[in-house]
Amino acid sequence: MAADAVSVGMRPRRRRVTRARIGTAVAVGAFTAGLGYLTVVPLVRLQALAFEDRGQGFVDAFTRPGIWTTIRMTIALALGSLAIALVFGTALAWAANSLSPRLRPLRALPILPIVVPAIASVLGWGFLFSPRPGYLNALLRHLPWWTDIDQGPINIYSLPWIIIITGLALAAFVYLFVSASLESINGELIEAAQVSGSSRAGVFFRVTLPLLRPALVYGGGVALLLGLGQFTAPLLLGRTQGVSVLTTEMYFATKQEPAQYALAAALGSPLLLFGVGVLVLQRVLLGDHARFVTHGSKGFRPAARSSRLGAVAILLYTLFATVLPIVALVIVALSTWWTGDIVPSTFTLDNFRNVIETSGITSAIRTSLIVSVIAVGIALPVGFIAASILYRRREHRLMGPVLDFIVAMPLSIPAVIFGLGFLLTYTQGPVVLYGTNWVMILVYVTLMLPFSTRMQLSGRVALGDAYIEASRVSGAGPVRTNLSILAPLMRPTFGAAAALMFVLLANEFTASLLVRSPTVQVMGTVLFDTYDNGLYPVVACVALIMILVTALGVLLAVLLSGSDAFRRL
């Protein structure tokens, strides 16, 4: 009888547990479906448009004159920039890990190309190496080898130089992956190779490089995806000499009269399929989310005598990849006109005054700040929920992998495809948002999902389960535990994630250019329009304002999360 009574008493508890699990599963499913609508539906509607009229969009896209030249240029840009990024990124990581403790702050310098707005950097390169008025070209023409030419010797508008500047920018991404992997290498392996008589080069190629293979594969995959989706440099520089890639062809298709959206969708299909394929492959090979988190080690320390050479390498890279383009922007912003001559006596601040007094530009700056802050405010809690689900991935075996795939998509698919998808989705029913700030906010939230989720997931993994279990044992429910225990402990992670997302959104240009309207402009889009109108000093001023906003965001991120804020991504 006693056993029967216990059995009867256990049934309600089991029912409550079952109902709680069902409720949790329904909530997770609804959350995943909501993110799926935000992320996947615009891509599906975009591709459906390409298949209309028996795939007429594909016929128009891949039978048009010059399409295979465009494809070859796209592949050349991706592979060429990948090769440069792998070489420079790996070399910079090696140099950074060879620095003595006194020079360790220099390790942050190779990350600068990530945080400097791409559009500002590209414009700076144009001001430096434009064939005739470029500042460095004008300086090079004073050398004995080029005194007989009136333009050049470098043509920044050519495909090889677009590949070079893209590769230098992507090297920063490879650097992050490889430097983190270098720190985790056991120093005993290096010492054993050195004791066995191997030279420094032998140790690198026989021991270190094989151990870096996973980081090189993953970092190289990210760099390849970014290279295939390059938009800013080909758009700003390539038009001058007919350098065209798939992303720019998509953009120009939307600017035709009438707009050729089916053609643009078909042109983006190869990039979409490749991005999804790489994402699926990564999910299969990398498996559990914990494998994304690396733990730094103090075991790997090359000999101290290489620290000065490493410092020189880092400083030279920073000079060419970041400092010189910014210096060019400053010179143009202070000049009345952009010429090849630098005359400090004619420098003026009038261009900055004009920018401040121009209502269209100040409105765009204000809009950019407002929509970025709102998008961060939305992406942060959404990323927290996604990170919490992925942290308990074993409890959500069905929805966990689906959610992981959804939040990673914006990082693997070019932003121009997302921008076009959002443009098509929100210019027609059931929800029409075109011409409002909300379409910009939604695309920003979508693009920030991977960064918000991954950074908070990393912080959640670092905390472990001890505090959460203690809270639940004390009788607190999930909501109270998250608000009273988890949220305060993760406050530095929240702050750093918010600051870094703000930095990335302040720099955003590609998707913004697709979804903007005459009444909704942000810093990147108004900068592009000003550049098209040939107002180069004003362009330089707006670009410097973007860099200033970015610098403030980076400073905030470092204050909240320390100097390793970007490594947490």
Side-chain angles (χ1 to χ4, degrees):
M1 293 293 293
D4 291 340
V6 172
S7 177
V8 172
M10 290 294 292
R11 287 175 186 172
R13 183 179 298 177
R14 290 177 179 176
R15 289 175 182 172
R16 287 195 298 268
V17 172
T18 302
R19 289 175 182 174
R21 289 180 178 177
I22 293 175
T24 301
V26 171
V28 171
F31 178 78
T32 304
L35 288 189
Y37 181 86
L38 182 66
T39 304
V40 179
V41 168
L43 302 180
V44 172
R45 296 185 71 169
L46 179 63
Q47 290 307 298
L49 189 63
F51 282 97
E52 289 183 355
D53 298 329
R54 299 181 179 181
Q56 187 61 41
F58 290 100
V59 175
D60 294 338
F62 297 102
T63 58
R64 62 199 313 234
I67 182 60
W68 297 109
T69 300
T70 297
I71 293 175
R72 285 195 297 270
M73 288 184 176
T74 303
I75 296 174
L77 175 58
L79 296 181
S81 60
L82 172 63
I84 294 173
L86 286 174
V87 173
F88 277 84
T90 304
L92 287 169
W94 178 264
N97 280 273
S98 71
L99 295 176
S100 62
R102 184 170 55 88
L103 298 174
R104 301 289 280 184
L106 295 179
R107 297 177 60 189
L109 294 181
I111 307 175
L112 291 180
I114 296 178
V115 299
V116 173
I119 187 171
S121 180
V122 169
L123 290 173
W125 282 106
F127 293 143
L128 287 173
F129 289 114
S130 182
R132 187 178 295 273
Y135 294 122
L136 287 185
N137 267 336
L139 182 62
L140 290 174
R141 287 197 293 269
H142 287 87
L143 297 177
W145 303 279
W146 296 299
T147 54
D148 58 338
I149 60 177
D150 58 356
Q151 62 179 4
I154 294 174
N155 182 8
I156 197 63
Y157 303 122
S158 63
L159 180 60
W161 276 95
I162 293 176
I163 291 174
I164 290 172
I165 65 174
T166 302
L168 289 176
L170 295 182
F173 291 90
V174 176
Y175 166 80
L176 281 176
F177 287 103
V178 176
S179 61
S181 183
L182 269 176
E183 292 178 354
S184 66
I185 294 177
N186 190 344
E188 294 178 356
L189 299 176
I190 308 298
E191 293 175 0
Q194 292 174 342
V195 170
S196 300
S198 293
S199 62
R200 291 183 56 79
V203 171
F204 178 77
F205 286 105
R206 296 175 185 174
V207 179
T208 306
L209 196 58
L211 292 174
L212 293 177
R213 190 176 302 164
L216 289 173
V217 170
Y218 192 82
V222 172
L224 178 61
L225 290 173
L226 293 174
L228 284 171
Q230 276 299 300
F231 177 74
T232 306
L235 178 67
L236 296 179
L237 303 178
R239 289 181 296 169
T240 303
Q241 294 194 353
V243 176
S244 176
V245 294
L246 288 174
T247 53
T248 56
E249 287 297 300
M250 289 177 63
Y251 171 73
F252 291 132
T254 65
K255 297 305 174 183
Q256 296 180 14
E257 292 292 343
Q260 303 294 318
Y261 292 119
L263 171 63
L267 288 170
S269 294
L271 301 178
L272 176 62
L273 291 175
F274 187 83
V276 171
V278 170
L279 183 58
V280 171
L281 185 62
Q282 287 178 346
R283 299 304 99 182
V284 172
L285 294 179
L286 296 177
D288 190 13
H289 64 79
R291 299 183 65 183
F292 283 96
V293 183
T294 59
H295 300 279
S297 169
K298 296 183 179 179
F300 178 74
R301 289 289 183 272
R305 66 175 180 271
S306 63
S307 61
R308 292 184 179 179
L309 183 60
V312 170
I314 290 175
L315 291 174
L316 286 176
Y317 170 79
T318 305
L319 174 66
F320 285 100
T322 305
V323 175
L324 286 179
I326 294 177
V327 169
L329 290 173
V330 172
I331 295 173
V332 176
L334 295 175
S335 303
T336 306
W337 304 102
W338 173 33
T339 64
D341 299 323
I342 302 176
V343 185
S345 61
T346 63
F347 284 174
T348 176
L349 295 176
D350 290 342
N351 296 317
F352 289 97
R353 297 190 187 96
N354 293 334
V355 168
I356 296 173
E357 295 172 358
T358 303
S359 60
I361 296 178
T362 54
S363 175
I365 295 172
R366 184 168 56 252
T367 300
S368 184
L369 297 176
I370 291 173
V371 298
S372 296
V373 169
I374 295 175
V376 169
I378 297 173
L380 202 61
V382 171
F384 176 77
I385 297 173
S388 299
I389 295 172
L390 293 178
Y391 182 75
R392 300 291 182 184
R393 185 171 179 173
R394 294 180 180 178
E395 300 176 9
H396 310 287
R397 296 185 178 181
L398 179 60
M399 287 292 101
V402 176
L403 179 62
D404 195 11
F405 182 84
I406 289 174
V407 299
M409 284 183 65
L411 199 59
S412 301
I413 297 172
V416 65
I417 296 179
F418 271 103
L420 182 56
F422 271 76
L423 177 64
L424 294 175
T425 301
Y426 295 107
T427 53
Q428 50 189 310
V431 181
V432 179
L433 298 175
Y434 182 74
T436 69
N437 288 347
W438 281 105
V439 67
M440 195 78 72
I441 291 170
L442 285 180
V443 73
Y444 280 8
V445 170
T446 302
L447 294 177
M448 290 301 103
L449 278 178
F451 302 99
S452 177
T453 302
R454 290 301 170 195
M455 194 163 185
Q456 295 185 73
L457 179 58
S458 176
R460 182 67 184 84
V461 170
L463 282 178
D465 294 326
Y467 297 105
I468 307 302
E469 292 175 356
S471 176
R472 291 180 178 176
V473 168
S474 301
V479 175
R480 185 176 179 183
T481 298
N482 283 328
L483 294 179
S484 301
I485 304 298
L486 193 57
L489 291 173
M490 290 189 62
R491 190 176 301 165
T493 300
F494 293 156
L500 290 175
M501 285 190 290
F502 178 78
V503 168
L504 296 174
L505 290 179
N507 296 353
E508 214 293 316
F509 168 67
T510 304
S512 303
L513 193 61
L514 271 297
V515 300
R516 67 163 176 173
S517 67
T519 57
V520 180
Q521 297 268 24
V522 293
M523 285 188 288
T525 59
V526 76
L527 182 58
F528 175 73
D529 291 338
T530 309
Y531 177 77
D532 261 3
N533 293 330
L535 303 175
Y536 300 119
V538 177
V539 166
C541 291
V542 178
L544 290 174
I545 292 174
M546 291 183 69
I547 294 174
L548 177 61
V549 171
T550 299
L552 293 176
V554 172
L555 178 61
L556 181 61
V558 171
L559 291 176
L560 292 172
S561 187
S563 59
D564 65 337
F566 281 89
R567 296 178 186 273
R568 299 189 182 189
L569 288 176

